Amino acid sequence: MSRKENLISELHTRKGTWKIVVRITDLWQARKQNSKQTIEMVLIDQTGSKIGATLWQELFTELRDKLQCGSSYLIQNLRIVDNQSEYRVSPAPYLVYFLKTTSVKEIHRPEIPSNIYLITPFSDIISGLAPRHTLVDIVGVVADFIDVKTVNPPHRMTVRLRDNSNCDILITVWEDYAIQLDDAIDKNLMLQEPLVVMLTLGKIKDATSVSGVDGSQSQSSQSNVVEKFMQNAQVVSIGEINNLRQDCYCLTVGTVDEIIIEAPWSYDSCPNCTTTFDPSKGDSACRSCHTSVIDTVPQYKLNVRMEHNGDKGNFFLWDAT
């Protein structure tokens, strides 16, 4: 007689034979503290309950190629252990271990959802109501740009998210996720629409000061400059910029319509500031900062004509811009 299928909610450590039908919603490779590699998974059953599962490297040869994210499986002969991990993928107190005797068979079970997200309110995270040991799913709109490092690994990006209750939290994403978020923000600047971010399986941590070094300038100091500019700047259209009669900080949106190739794209400058310095004129000191100049530094600028809603204007893009 065939054993009945068990739900995730029925699993416990006091029994050695289990038969579950689940879908893999997430799958990634990890390295434990003992340097052993594992494949970590999130399993979901037909009721929407989830549980974490671990495949140790000793079983990679037998089972790794059989397990695919998004597919559903009939799995028998599992070991259920207490979940002591600091990164728990669900509130379930247990974890699934695959064994040498574990049987894995891919089956078609459309009644099992592809995924279910339990969105955690920001207020629960801030108040401490959300358990620290369980990974969370959150949704919010990008309210502020805090820090980015996407030039060299390890890539990192931190933004402030705001949920529909008007609560704010900081999130930091790493590596490929940082690059994806950075690209999404760049594209969204042209659309001028709210950018909604959904983060799944996020770890709650206490906020710390953002730091990091890129070249000779820390990312935190770059972030402060960006934040100061964003706070003082106002959104101005290109047409309004053409009518300005005084200097100001502003933000604008436009599409490059033409690159002015007749204008030079670089010039020699004082190494201590960006002022033009021509050593052929015989001067030994910069006219702006008055420091002695021995070797000049090339500065790059690009003259472009930008257009938005029928209005056009010329803009200089400097150096890294």
Side-chain angles (χ1 to χ4, degrees), residues 19-312:
K19 181 180 180 180
I20 60 175
V21 177
V22 293
R23 188 182 306 278
I24 300 176
T25 64
D26 294 273
L27 182 150
W28 66 96
Q29 194 157 319
R31 186 180 295 275
K32 298 295 187 179
Q33 292 181 349
N34 57 9
S35 296
K36 284 190 175 183
Q37 290 187 341
T38 64
I39 292 177
E40 303 296 323
M41 289 161 276
V42 182
L43 310 179
I44 187 172
D45 66 14
Q46 63 187 37
T47 69
S49 297
K50 292 183 178 181
I51 192 170
T54 297
L55 176 69
W56 293 91
Q57 66 181 34
E58 292 87 349
L59 300 177
F60 279 8
T61 302
E62 293 88 345
L63 296 176
R64 177 168 54 183
D65 293 340
K66 295 182 180 180
L67 301 168
Q68 302 293 327
C69 187
S71 297
S72 53
Y73 298 91
L74 170 64
I75 307 176
Q76 301 185 74
N77 299 328
L78 301 162
R79 182 185 176 191
I80 308 301
V81 300
D82 290 322
N83 191 352
Q84 303 295 333
S85 172
E86 61 174 326
Y87 300 104
R88 302 185 187 182
V89 300
S90 81
Y94 305 117
L95 193 65
V96 170
Y97 276 7
F98 287 80
L99 306 172
K100 280 186 174 295
T101 56
T102 299
S103 169
V104 177
K105 180 181 178 181
E106 185 173 359
I107 59 174
H108 180 63
R109 285 295 181 89
E111 69 271 19
I112 303 178
S114 58
N115 209 336
I116 291 179
Y117 302 103
L118 301 177
I119 306 302
T120 301
F122 290 1
S123 57
D124 287 359
I125 297 174
I126 297 170
S127 65
L129 185 61
R132 291 298 188 93
H133 58 265
T134 303
L135 305 182
V136 296
D137 303 331
I138 60 172
V139 174
V141 64
V142 175
D144 200 2
F145 166 86
I146 304 299
D147 177 65
V148 63
K149 182 179 179 292
T150 56
V151 177
N152 297 308
H155 304 119
R156 181 190 68 243
M157 188 168 196
T158 301
V159 298
R160 178 176 288 110
L161 288 189
R162 181 169 298 149
D163 67 6
N164 55 6
S165 297
N166 212 34
C167 291
D168 289 9
I169 62 171
L170 299 183
I171 69 163
T172 298
V173 291
W174 298 83
E175 301 300 355
D176 290 344
Y177 300 107
I179 295 174
Q180 292 174 25
L181 181 56
D182 189 39
D183 289 343
I185 290 176
D186 285 344
K187 294 175 182 177
N188 192 258
L189 287 175
M190 298 297 297
L191 299 176
Q192 288 188 295
E193 295 177 352
L195 178 61
V196 178
V197 172
M198 181 177 184
L199 179 70
T200 63
L201 302 179
K203 174 67 174 175
I204 300 175
K205 291 187 176 183
D206 292 328
T208 58
S209 59
V210 180
S211 63
V213 176
D214 182 15
S216 61
Q217 187 178 21
S218 71
Q219 289 294 318
S220 58
S221 63
Q222 292 176 348
S223 173
N224 291 336
V225 171
V226 172
E227 287 186 296
K228 183 178 180 180
F229 173 78
M230 296 292 285
Q231 292 171 357
N232 294 325
Q234 57 180 325
V235 178
V236 180
S237 68
I238 292 178
E240 292 172 326
I241 290 176
N242 290 334
N243 297 322
L244 290 176
R245 294 297 178 264
Q246 60 183 8
D247 294 339
C248 71
Y249 292 98
C250 67
L251 300 174
T252 193
V253 175
T255 302
V256 175
D257 183 63
E258 181 183 359
I259 297 177
I260 312 301
I261 60 175
E262 294 84 0
W265 286 23
S266 67
Y267 65 93
D268 293 324
S269 77
C270 167
N272 299 299
C273 65
T274 59
T275 303
T276 302
F277 187 87
D278 187 353
S280 64
K281 293 184 177 180
D283 296 328
S284 60
C286 173
R287 69 177 186 273
S288 295
C289 63
H290 306 294
T291 58
S292 178
V293 177
I294 299 176
D295 297 312
T296 59
V297 174
Q299 298 286 343
Y300 301 95
K301 65 178 181 180
L302 182 63
N303 189 0
V304 300
R305 181 169 292 115
M306 302 185 69
E307 184 273 337
H308 186 67
N309 290 338
D311 294 313
K312 294 186 178 183

